[in-house]
Amino acid sequence: LVDQRAIGRTPRANALTYTKALDPIRRLLADTSESRAGGLGPGHFSFNVAGGRCETCKGEGFEKVEMQFLSDVFITCPDCSGKRFKPEVLDVHYRGQSIHDILSLTVNQALSFFLDHKKITGALQPLADVGLGYICLGQPINTMSGGEAQRLKLSRYVKIDAVDTAPKLFIFDEPTTGLHFDDIGKLLAALQRLVEGGH
């Protein structure tokens, strides 16, 4: 069932973590001379664990101010300015881009930027195939619309592994509602590929 329900409620999950493209990107950053000189490994380029994340906001990029009788207020972290990482991690660059800069790229920009890295482009291409080329890599999944969440789920199946050849039945909940005609065309092309694959 590929419906429009939210994938998760945490702001820590994004397109990179969902597609598993973040792991090879973290390895690329850890392999730079700046990282080696600073003793930084792949784990330092994650805002989910201590070491590389900003400890003031715990990698959230914002701080929550609880108001007794009003709704909570969220303010940009004063230490990292919303970038979620420690300064020494943000000082590491791959082709002129820090981890924060990479998370700010759209899927289409990242496909061009990482053109010679097949693991990364192979993980991101299905997002473009279902019409999500415009989303930023670091956009939290819990901020996506229902249609975006549905297409993000679908992207997992557009590129079905050669090992996983069993035919599947997909049930969609109004997959074209609210989409631009261009995005509908991309979605239909993705669905046609599934049909041609025996699903």
Side-chain angles (χ1 to χ4, degrees):
L1 176 64
V2 186
D3 60 15
Q4 295 193 9
R5 282 183 296 183
I7 296 169
R9 292 190 175 91
T10 175
R12 294 187 175 277
N14 56 43
L16 277 183
T17 57
Y18 190 82
T19 61
K20 308 281 190 248
L22 184 58
D23 294 336
I25 291 173
R26 288 168 51 203
R27 286 194 292 272
L28 275 178
L29 287 162
D31 199 36
T32 62
S33 56
E34 296 162 301
S35 287
R36 288 194 295 270
L40 301 175
H44 289 95
F45 297 94
S46 170
F47 47 71
N48 289 324
V49 293
R53 71 180 180 194
C54 169
E55 287 303 326
T56 302
C57 63
K58 301 288 189 243
E60 295 278 1
F62 58 84
E63 291 184 303
K64 181 168 78 170
V65 179
E66 294 184 14
M67 309 293 282
Q68 285 189 322
F69 301 108
L70 301 170
S71 298
D72 294 338
V73 176
F74 296 90
I75 59 168
T76 302
C77 176
D79 284 353
C80 68
S81 301
K83 294 184 178 179
R84 307 172 88 168
F85 294 93
K86 290 181 177 176
E88 54 267 33
V89 172
L90 293 169
D91 286 342
V92 174
H93 293 84
Y94 175 76
R95 294 182 180 168
Q97 303 291 310
S98 69
I99 182 67
H100 173 71
D101 298 329
I102 290 170
L103 290 171
S104 299
L105 294 174
T106 65
V107 170
N108 288 336
Q109 290 170 333
L111 285 170
S112 297
F113 186 73
F114 293 111
L115 189 60
D116 53 344
H117 295 283
K118 297 297 179 209
K119 278 192 173 182
I120 298 170
T121 56
L124 295 177
Q125 186 60 52
L127 296 178
D129 291 344
V130 296
L132 291 177
Y134 62 89
I135 64 170
C136 288
L137 299 180
Q139 178 181 341
I141 285 178
N142 67 343
T143 65
M144 292 182 178
S145 70
E148 288 171 333
Q150 185 179 41
R151 286 184 286 158
L152 185 61
K153 293 175 194 176
L154 174 63
S155 71
R156 278 205 166 152
Y157 299 101
V158 171
K159 183 184 172 190
I160 295 180
D161 297 332
V163 179
D164 184 11
T165 55
K168 291 180 173 52
L169 170 66
F170 293 89
I171 301 173
F172 291 90
D173 173 20
E174 300 181 340
T176 60
T177 300
L179 292 186
H180 185 276
F181 288 122
D182 185 55
D183 288 329
I184 290 174
K186 291 174 184 172
L187 180 60
L188 290 177
L191 296 178
Q192 186 59 41
R193 281 194 297 278
L194 289 174
V195 172
E196 289 166 0
H199 307 287

